[in-house]
Amino acid sequence: MTDHGTKASPSPRTGTNATPDTGGALPAETRVFSGMQPSGEAHLGNYLGALRQWVPLQDAHECFFCIVDQHAIVGEYEPDDLPARVFDLATSFLAVGLDPERSTIFVQSDVPEHAELAWLFNSVTPVGDLERMTQYKDKSARYESIPAGLLNYPILQAADILLYRADRVPVGEDQLQHLELSREIARKWNARFGGYFPEPKPILSQAGRILGLDGNAKMSKSLENTVRILAEPEEIWGRVRTAVTDPQRVRRDDPGRPEVCNVYTLHGHFTDPERLPDIAAQCRAGTRGCVDCKRILAESIGDHFAEVRERAREYREDPGLVRDILEAGARRARVEAQETMEAVRDRMGIRWRSRGEGG
Ligand code: SF4
């Protein structure tokens, strides 16, 4: 692990280049952090936009995967449901192949230093920067009285990442602006208190934008336009059959345009690549109806997640194991978090006892 003992010297993790990459050729010592809100079991959007990419990162990098439950309390939520949502997402993490032997998998609220560092970062973050965030502008418009947490949300994200001095953060395009703010916070803090934090760079998701089954620009559980990755085949079909397709295909034999159809995009992620030319050709020729095309997709999704469902069943039958994994992850995370906070408190002068010791 990096030596941060010398106050004036910059952290070896400190960097300046924000060029996004896809994670394929990162230096071996790269430390990766990523978090996901606990909205329950993961769905196709979570999988395509994040989890599928996280799994191979474990092969070569030191990874911290965090269930960010303290982010989930911004906005409407049901407190009694939150623990189960955390547990269900943890089960999804493990079932898709996040490996507690190789990665640190934990829950944000088990490491109180996240909230502490976020508070300290408040001191270097301009309100104007927070107000410029696109997500803040979009979401705040829904409130009569805007919670401060909505504005400060990206500061907690910066704390999540920088607490572990992560070099890289897998993100979708919609999170690039927040990550740039994290980099800015690191820069400002380093300039004021001495170089310590790296400026984390993005690993851009290769999945592109994943539209909802209803054609909405975002696939999300709350919009009910997605499929749980642990859904049984019948449920998958129930969701996929509602998916919007090329609006030009009104009758079964109308020629279609796979390139504008979200079902075809999803085929690209889940269906055997050798079948794709036939699916596209039959669509264009109007020789296969959309219902049949969706059936193929539903089967492909079901097959793709068959092993994941099986592993999830095993974890559900042994909830104590999931709890143990999260607790072990939190212990590992706390070691790093405490090391960071000792350095941060020291540099920020939050160490009144040192006065009596000549500090
Ligand atoms: S046949 Fe398939 S790819 Fe073509 S429009 Fe229908 S669902 Fe989409």
mmCIF file of all heavy atoms in Angstrom, residues 319-350:
data_model
loop_
_atom_site.group_PDB
_atom_site.id
_atom_site.type_symbol
_atom_site.label_atom_id
_atom_site.label_comp_id
_atom_site.label_asym_id
_atom_site.label_seq_id
_atom_site.Cartn_x
_atom_site.Cartn_y
_atom_site.Cartn_z
ATOM 1 N N PRO A 319 -27.830 -16.736 4.594
ATOM 2 C CA PRO A 319 -27.678 -15.285 4.761
ATOM 3 C C PRO A 319 -26.545 -14.920 5.714
ATOM 4 O O PRO A 319 -25.948 -13.846 5.598
ATOM 5 C CB PRO A 319 -29.037 -14.827 5.317
ATOM 6 C CG PRO A 319 -29.739 -16.065 5.758
ATOM 7 C CD PRO A 319 -29.169 -17.206 4.989
ATOM 8 N N GLY A 320 -26.222 -15.843 6.634
ATOM 9 C CA GLY A 320 -25.115 -15.570 7.552
ATOM 10 C C GLY A 320 -23.803 -15.409 6.798
ATOM 11 O O GLY A 320 -22.942 -14.609 7.174
ATOM 12 N N LEU A 321 -23.658 -16.151 5.706
ATOM 13 C CA LEU A 321 -22.432 -16.057 4.907
ATOM 14 C C LEU A 321 -22.328 -14.673 4.264
ATOM 15 O O LEU A 321 -21.264 -14.054 4.259
ATOM 16 C CB LEU A 321 -22.427 -17.152 3.832
ATOM 17 C CG LEU A 321 -21.260 -17.122 2.846
ATOM 18 C CD1 LEU A 321 -19.925 -17.290 3.572
ATOM 19 C CD2 LEU A 321 -21.424 -18.212 1.781
ATOM 20 N N VAL A 322 -23.453 -14.178 3.739
ATOM 21 C CA VAL A 322 -23.450 -12.842 3.124
ATOM 22 C C VAL A 322 -23.074 -11.798 4.173
ATOM 23 O O VAL A 322 -22.243 -10.908 3.931
ATOM 24 C CB VAL A 322 -24.831 -12.523 2.497
ATOM 25 C CG1 VAL A 322 -24.853 -11.108 1.924
ATOM 26 C CG2 VAL A 322 -25.170 -13.547 1.417
ATOM 27 N N ARG A 323 -23.682 -11.934 5.355
ATOM 28 C CA ARG A 323 -23.362 -10.980 6.436
ATOM 29 C C ARG A 323 -21.876 -11.042 6.789
ATOM 30 O O ARG A 323 -21.219 -10.019 6.956
ATOM 31 C CB ARG A 323 -24.197 -11.300 7.681
ATOM 32 C CG ARG A 323 -25.258 -10.242 7.975
ATOM 33 C CD ARG A 323 -25.879 -10.441 9.340
ATOM 34 N NE ARG A 323 -26.424 -11.770 9.519
ATOM 35 C CZ ARG A 323 -27.643 -12.134 9.121
ATOM 36 N NH1 ARG A 323 -28.426 -11.271 8.522
ATOM 37 N NH2 ARG A 323 -28.083 -13.351 9.320
ATOM 38 N N ASP A 324 -21.344 -12.262 6.898
ATOM 39 C CA ASP A 324 -19.919 -12.412 7.245
ATOM 40 C C ASP A 324 -19.028 -11.763 6.188
ATOM 41 O O ASP A 324 -18.021 -11.129 6.505
ATOM 42 C CB ASP A 324 -19.550 -13.898 7.367
ATOM 43 C CG ASP A 324 -20.149 -14.529 8.622
ATOM 44 O OD1 ASP A 324 -20.650 -13.769 9.484
ATOM 45 O OD2 ASP A 324 -20.138 -15.770 8.720
ATOM 46 N N ILE A 325 -19.401 -11.947 4.923
ATOM 47 C CA ILE A 325 -18.598 -11.368 3.834
ATOM 48 C C ILE A 325 -18.603 -9.844 3.932
ATOM 49 O O ILE A 325 -17.565 -9.187 3.814
ATOM 50 C CB ILE A 325 -19.139 -11.842 2.462
ATOM 51 C CG1 ILE A 325 -18.792 -13.321 2.254
ATOM 52 C CG2 ILE A 325 -18.595 -10.983 1.327
ATOM 53 C CD1 ILE A 325 -19.492 -13.968 1.070
ATOM 54 N N LEU A 326 -19.790 -9.273 4.177
ATOM 55 C CA LEU A 326 -19.872 -7.807 4.264
ATOM 56 C C LEU A 326 -19.119 -7.293 5.489
ATOM 57 O O LEU A 326 -18.497 -6.226 5.451
ATOM 58 C CB LEU A 326 -21.333 -7.357 4.314
ATOM 59 C CG LEU A 326 -22.149 -7.613 3.046
ATOM 60 C CD1 LEU A 326 -23.602 -7.188 3.250
ATOM 61 C CD2 LEU A 326 -21.558 -6.870 1.843
ATOM 62 N N GLU A 327 -19.180 -8.046 6.574
ATOM 63 C CA GLU A 327 -18.466 -7.591 7.777
ATOM 64 C C GLU A 327 -16.957 -7.680 7.584
ATOM 65 O O GLU A 327 -16.220 -6.782 7.988
ATOM 66 C CB GLU A 327 -18.934 -8.386 8.998
ATOM 67 C CG GLU A 327 -20.281 -7.862 9.465
ATOM 68 C CD GLU A 327 -20.848 -8.580 10.669
ATOM 69 O OE1 GLU A 327 -20.162 -9.469 11.207
ATOM 70 O OE2 GLU A 327 -21.975 -8.249 11.047
ATOM 71 N N ALA A 328 -16.508 -8.749 6.948
ATOM 72 C CA ALA A 328 -15.064 -8.861 6.677
ATOM 73 C C ALA A 328 -14.625 -7.743 5.732
ATOM 74 O O ALA A 328 -13.549 -7.151 5.899
ATOM 75 C CB ALA A 328 -14.753 -10.232 6.069
ATOM 76 N N GLY A 329 -15.467 -7.437 4.738
ATOM 77 C CA GLY A 329 -15.150 -6.350 3.808
ATOM 78 C C GLY A 329 -15.056 -5.021 4.539
ATOM 79 O O GLY A 329 -14.149 -4.223 4.293
ATOM 80 N N ALA A 330 -15.987 -4.788 5.458
ATOM 81 C CA ALA A 330 -15.976 -3.524 6.212
ATOM 82 C C ALA A 330 -14.719 -3.420 7.070
ATOM 83 O O ALA A 330 -14.139 -2.341 7.202
ATOM 84 C CB ALA A 330 -17.231 -3.423 7.073
ATOM 85 N N ARG A 331 -14.293 -4.548 7.629
ATOM 86 C CA ARG A 331 -13.058 -4.507 8.443
ATOM 87 C C ARG A 331 -11.869 -4.101 7.574
ATOM 88 O O ARG A 331 -11.050 -3.274 7.966
ATOM 89 C CB ARG A 331 -12.791 -5.876 9.093
ATOM 90 C CG ARG A 331 -13.593 -6.108 10.368
ATOM 91 C CD ARG A 331 -13.042 -7.283 11.166
ATOM 92 N NE ARG A 331 -13.165 -8.552 10.458
ATOM 93 C CZ ARG A 331 -14.277 -9.301 10.449
ATOM 94 N NH1 ARG A 331 -15.341 -8.917 11.121
ATOM 95 N NH2 ARG A 331 -14.320 -10.436 9.779
ATOM 96 N N ARG A 332 -11.795 -4.687 6.379
ATOM 97 C CA ARG A 332 -10.685 -4.341 5.479
ATOM 98 C C ARG A 332 -10.781 -2.876 5.053
ATOM 99 O O ARG A 332 -9.781 -2.153 5.006
ATOM 100 C CB ARG A 332 -10.718 -5.224 4.226
ATOM 101 C CG ARG A 332 -10.222 -6.620 4.442
ATOM 102 C CD ARG A 332 -9.449 -7.144 3.232
ATOM 103 N NE ARG A 332 -10.247 -7.267 2.026
ATOM 104 C CZ ARG A 332 -10.938 -8.357 1.698
ATOM 105 N NH1 ARG A 332 -10.938 -9.401 2.493
ATOM 106 N NH2 ARG A 332 -11.619 -8.414 0.578
ATOM 107 N N ALA A 333 -11.993 -2.448 4.733
ATOM 108 C CA ALA A 333 -12.186 -1.067 4.277
ATOM 109 C C ALA A 333 -11.808 -0.085 5.382
ATOM 110 O O ALA A 333 -11.193 0.955 5.126
ATOM 111 C CB ALA A 333 -13.641 -0.859 3.850
ATOM 112 N N ARG A 334 -12.173 -0.422 6.616
ATOM 113 C CA ARG A 334 -11.902 0.495 7.736
ATOM 114 C C ARG A 334 -10.407 0.727 7.929
ATOM 115 O O ARG A 334 -9.988 1.818 8.297
ATOM 116 C CB ARG A 334 -12.520 -0.054 9.026
ATOM 117 C CG ARG A 334 -13.886 0.543 9.317
ATOM 118 C CD ARG A 334 -14.408 0.043 10.654
ATOM 119 N NE ARG A 334 -15.661 -0.658 10.441
ATOM 120 C CZ ARG A 334 -15.927 -1.901 10.817
ATOM 121 N NH1 ARG A 334 -15.024 -2.608 11.461
ATOM 122 N NH2 ARG A 334 -17.098 -2.434 10.563
ATOM 123 N N VAL A 335 -9.613 -0.293 7.682
ATOM 124 C CA VAL A 335 -8.157 -0.123 7.834
ATOM 125 C C VAL A 335 -7.677 0.992 6.904
ATOM 126 O O VAL A 335 -6.946 1.902 7.302
ATOM 127 C CB VAL A 335 -7.421 -1.451 7.526
ATOM 128 C CG1 VAL A 335 -5.917 -1.224 7.445
ATOM 129 C CG2 VAL A 335 -7.755 -2.499 8.580
ATOM 130 N N GLU A 336 -8.117 0.932 5.648
ATOM 131 C CA GLU A 336 -7.720 1.965 4.679
ATOM 132 C C GLU A 336 -8.315 3.315 5.050
ATOM 133 O O GLU A 336 -7.649 4.354 4.973
ATOM 134 C CB GLU A 336 -8.188 1.575 3.269
ATOM 135 C CG GLU A 336 -7.525 0.344 2.713
ATOM 136 C CD GLU A 336 -6.025 0.521 2.527
ATOM 137 O OE1 GLU A 336 -5.569 1.663 2.336
ATOM 138 O OE2 GLU A 336 -5.310 -0.495 2.586
ATOM 139 N N ALA A 337 -9.588 3.284 5.446
ATOM 140 C CA ALA A 337 -10.288 4.534 5.760
ATOM 141 C C ALA A 337 -9.628 5.227 6.949
ATOM 142 O O ALA A 337 -9.445 6.448 6.953
ATOM 143 C CB ALA A 337 -11.756 4.238 6.052
ATOM 144 N N GLN A 338 -9.253 4.450 7.941
ATOM 145 C CA GLN A 338 -8.652 5.056 9.133
ATOM 146 C C GLN A 338 -7.275 5.631 8.809
ATOM 147 O O GLN A 338 -6.899 6.688 9.313
ATOM 148 C CB GLN A 338 -8.595 4.029 10.267
ATOM 149 C CG GLN A 338 -9.984 3.818 10.871
ATOM 150 C CD GLN A 338 -10.103 2.582 11.748
ATOM 151 O OE1 GLN A 338 -9.118 1.882 11.980
ATOM 152 N NE2 GLN A 338 -11.307 2.307 12.220
ATOM 153 N N GLU A 339 -6.550 4.940 7.946
ATOM 154 C CA GLU A 339 -5.238 5.466 7.548
ATOM 155 C C GLU A 339 -5.409 6.819 6.852
ATOM 156 O O GLU A 339 -4.696 7.787 7.140
ATOM 157 C CB GLU A 339 -4.543 4.473 6.607
ATOM 158 C CG GLU A 339 -3.143 4.915 6.211
ATOM 159 C CD GLU A 339 -2.498 3.979 5.182
ATOM 160 O OE1 GLU A 339 -2.758 2.768 5.224
ATOM 161 O OE2 GLU A 339 -1.749 4.489 4.339
ATOM 162 N N THR A 340 -6.376 6.879 5.944
ATOM 163 C CA THR A 340 -6.625 8.144 5.245
ATOM 164 C C THR A 340 -7.031 9.232 6.231
ATOM 165 O O THR A 340 -6.516 10.355 6.192
ATOM 166 C CB THR A 340 -7.747 7.965 4.192
ATOM 167 O OG1 THR A 340 -7.319 7.005 3.235
ATOM 168 C CG2 THR A 340 -8.077 9.273 3.496
ATOM 169 N N MET A 341 -7.954 8.901 7.131
ATOM 170 C CA MET A 341 -8.474 9.944 8.016
ATOM 171 C C MET A 341 -7.428 10.438 9.000
ATOM 172 O O MET A 341 -7.439 11.609 9.384
ATOM 173 C CB MET A 341 -9.723 9.447 8.757
ATOM 174 C CG MET A 341 -10.944 9.289 7.863
ATOM 175 S SD MET A 341 -11.255 10.679 6.741
ATOM 176 C CE MET A 341 -11.477 12.020 7.897
ATOM 177 N N GLU A 342 -6.521 9.568 9.398
ATOM 178 C CA GLU A 342 -5.446 10.048 10.282
ATOM 179 C C GLU A 342 -4.627 11.111 9.570
ATOM 180 O O GLU A 342 -4.301 12.158 10.130
ATOM 181 C CB GLU A 342 -4.550 8.874 10.704
ATOM 182 C CG GLU A 342 -5.110 8.142 11.908
ATOM 183 C CD GLU A 342 -4.301 6.902 12.256
ATOM 184 O OE1 GLU A 342 -3.089 6.891 11.972
ATOM 185 O OE2 GLU A 342 -4.898 5.958 12.793
ATOM 186 N N ALA A 343 -4.301 10.842 8.303
ATOM 187 C CA ALA A 343 -3.515 11.817 7.538
ATOM 188 C C ALA A 343 -4.318 13.094 7.302
ATOM 189 O O ALA A 343 -3.795 14.207 7.407
ATOM 190 C CB ALA A 343 -3.091 11.200 6.206
ATOM 191 N N VAL A 344 -5.604 12.930 6.992
ATOM 192 C CA VAL A 344 -6.444 14.096 6.680
ATOM 193 C C VAL A 344 -6.629 14.965 7.920
ATOM 194 O O VAL A 344 -6.458 16.192 7.875
ATOM 195 C CB VAL A 344 -7.810 13.631 6.122
ATOM 196 C CG1 VAL A 344 -8.816 14.772 6.090
ATOM 197 C CG2 VAL A 344 -7.632 13.045 4.725
ATOM 198 N N ARG A 345 -6.967 14.337 9.045
ATOM 199 C CA ARG A 345 -7.169 15.120 10.280
ATOM 200 C C ARG A 345 -5.882 15.844 10.641
ATOM 201 O O ARG A 345 -5.891 17.013 11.022
ATOM 202 C CB ARG A 345 -7.591 14.200 11.427
ATOM 203 C CG ARG A 345 -8.982 13.626 11.274
ATOM 204 C CD ARG A 345 -9.376 12.873 12.548
ATOM 205 N NE ARG A 345 -10.348 11.835 12.249
ATOM 206 C CZ ARG A 345 -10.095 10.521 12.283
ATOM 207 N NH1 ARG A 345 -8.892 10.079 12.625
ATOM 208 N NH2 ARG A 345 -11.035 9.657 11.983
ATOM 209 N N ASP A 346 -4.775 15.141 10.496
ATOM 210 C CA ASP A 346 -3.483 15.737 10.851
ATOM 211 C C ASP A 346 -3.215 16.972 10.001
ATOM 212 O O ASP A 346 -2.880 18.035 10.508
ATOM 213 C CB ASP A 346 -2.382 14.686 10.643
ATOM 214 C CG ASP A 346 -1.025 15.223 11.061
ATOM 215 O OD1 ASP A 346 -0.910 15.670 12.217
ATOM 216 O OD2 ASP A 346 -0.098 15.214 10.227
ATOM 217 N N ARG A 347 -3.404 16.843 8.698
ATOM 218 C CA ARG A 347 -3.110 17.970 7.807
ATOM 219 C C ARG A 347 -4.089 19.117 7.989
ATOM 220 O O ARG A 347 -3.750 20.269 7.751
ATOM 221 C CB ARG A 347 -3.130 17.499 6.352
ATOM 222 C CG ARG A 347 -1.926 16.647 6.006
ATOM 223 C CD ARG A 347 -2.143 15.900 4.704
ATOM 224 N NE ARG A 347 -1.081 14.928 4.503
ATOM 225 C CZ ARG A 347 -0.311 14.870 3.426
ATOM 226 N NH1 ARG A 347 -0.489 15.730 2.446
ATOM 227 N NH2 ARG A 347 0.618 13.962 3.324
ATOM 228 N N MET A 348 -5.307 18.789 8.411
ATOM 229 C CA MET A 348 -6.307 19.852 8.582
ATOM 230 C C MET A 348 -6.271 20.443 9.991
ATOM 231 O O MET A 348 -7.058 21.333 10.315
ATOM 232 C CB MET A 348 -7.709 19.315 8.256
ATOM 233 C CG MET A 348 -7.864 18.930 6.788
ATOM 234 S SD MET A 348 -9.545 18.421 6.341
ATOM 235 C CE MET A 348 -10.371 20.017 6.217
ATOM 236 N N GLY A 349 -5.356 19.962 10.823
ATOM 237 C CA GLY A 349 -5.219 20.526 12.165
ATOM 238 C C GLY A 349 -6.274 20.039 13.139
ATOM 239 O O GLY A 349 -6.479 20.641 14.198
ATOM 240 N N ILE A 350 -6.934 18.956 12.804
ATOM 241 C CA ILE A 350 -7.941 18.407 13.719
ATOM 242 C C ILE A 350 -7.211 17.408 14.616
ATOM 243 O O ILE A 350 -7.311 16.192 14.434
ATOM 244 C CB ILE A 350 -9.097 17.784 12.915
ATOM 245 C CG1 ILE A 350 -9.692 18.861 12.014
ATOM 246 C CG2 ILE A 350 -10.183 17.229 13.843
ATOM 247 C CD1 ILE A 350 -10.758 18.386 11.088
#
